[in-house]
Amino acid sequence: MTDDIVLLLRRAGFGPTVAEIGAARRLGYASTLSGVLAPTGPDVGATSAPTPDLGPDPVTLLPTATEAQRAEVARRRTEQTISLARWWLDRMTVADHQAVEKLLFFWHGHWATSVAKVRSPQLMFGQLRAFREARDFADLAHRMVLDRALVYWLDGQHNKKSAPNENLARELFELFMLGVGQYTERDIKEAGRALAGWRVILDREMPVSEPQHRDTGRKTILGVTENFDARSLVDLLLRQPACSRFIASRLWFRYASSNRPIPERTREAMAAAFPAPMAMLKVLFADEAFQQTRGTLVQQPVEWLVGAMRHLGLRPAAMSDKVFTQLYWAMEALGQRPLAPPSVGGWPAGTAWLTSAAAQTRLTIAGMLVDMVRPGPLTPEAVAHLLCVDRWTDRTYAVLRDARSDRLKLTFGLVSPEYLVT
């Protein structure tokens, strides 16, 4: 059975290596937990993945354009998006502060925003910076309600006093801060009024306030009446007891189990550490209920890919442009392309990733990765050691033993249930 420390490292980060597991076992669970969630010193690994310079959004260079120029803008935006995804995956792979990178990926799925609609990689990059710079959830919520990518994604720029658009307000309540059943339709309408009057301009760092479209009247939201605006609306939601409990439940869903509900005692203990996400995670990982979730969480494709690259000693920055572009679009086929969640609800979880189509695509991607290394000679035991799998089931062991080549052994190991499910 996977020991507690391996479970912690797998869930808190992306694919712990043999060396990391060995160091953690020498420290013990409590010290490892503290070190993982409160790392000290610079992240030496991350410094080898410097922030990319995307340059300006091509659209800002061509305020009016011919059809051919618009096609060129779309092509350049796609190139910039792939470059941004490459940098982010590379940083996830080489970062020493794994829990920090994992939390940023969690926020990407929580405040789900897609470049497919936003189109501007610069706006998406700005959102990633906000995830990284936010002090805690309260700070992050204030940043997100005026985040250019999120405002554009949820049609906030169309929300005017004379023509209300409630998309951003609705998702702020339902998916981002409170959860279903914690508000009324009247609350949504009034919150929409509070968020009216902002416009996204690509070459501005923040949405632009348009006073003529603001609604400065008094609103009644969740039983409180005042002249709410974006900031005071977020403050109101943060004060609701449902907010801390909702975030605790979402962290449990992605870090502990997507098919077992969070125990009430665990949820309340995590909520008491709100709004500090790392403190909430420390409560989660120290709770005995967490240890009972082993074998219940299916890795999301990005988690699986980054873990595989860490175990194989690969990194996107070292791949050719052609190979990485193939890998990038293969992740789309697998169902989780970075920067492009399918909806504001984010990506699915659990058995949704275990379809026959996904299995075939994952096998193709695993083969691409293995082709970049020179495995061998490998026994099933050697594959388990390399991939940090405790042991194989009899069925998987037989498949690995009978594989015709070391390449196939390692490929099959990467797509095995023991590797996919933590």
Side-chain angles (χ1 to χ4, degrees), residues 169-187:
R170 182 174 301 280
E171 308 310 350
L172 196 65
F173 279 69
E174 180 177 328
L175 295 177
F176 302 151
M177 295 190 70
L178 298 185
V180 177
Q182 302 298 326
Y183 54 88
T184 67
E185 285 301 308
R186 178 68 177 174
D187 293 325

Side-chain angles (χ1 to χ4, degrees), residues 221-233:
I221 305 173
L222 299 173
V224 179
T225 302
E226 63 176 78
N227 295 333
F228 283 106
D229 59 11
R231 170 160 287 278
S232 56
L233 172 62

Side-chain angles (χ1 to χ4, degrees), residues 33-59:
L33 177 58
S34 296
V36 164
L37 298 182
T40 58
D43 189 327
V44 177
T47 59
S48 70
T51 303
D53 180 8
L54 297 178
D57 188 314
V59 166

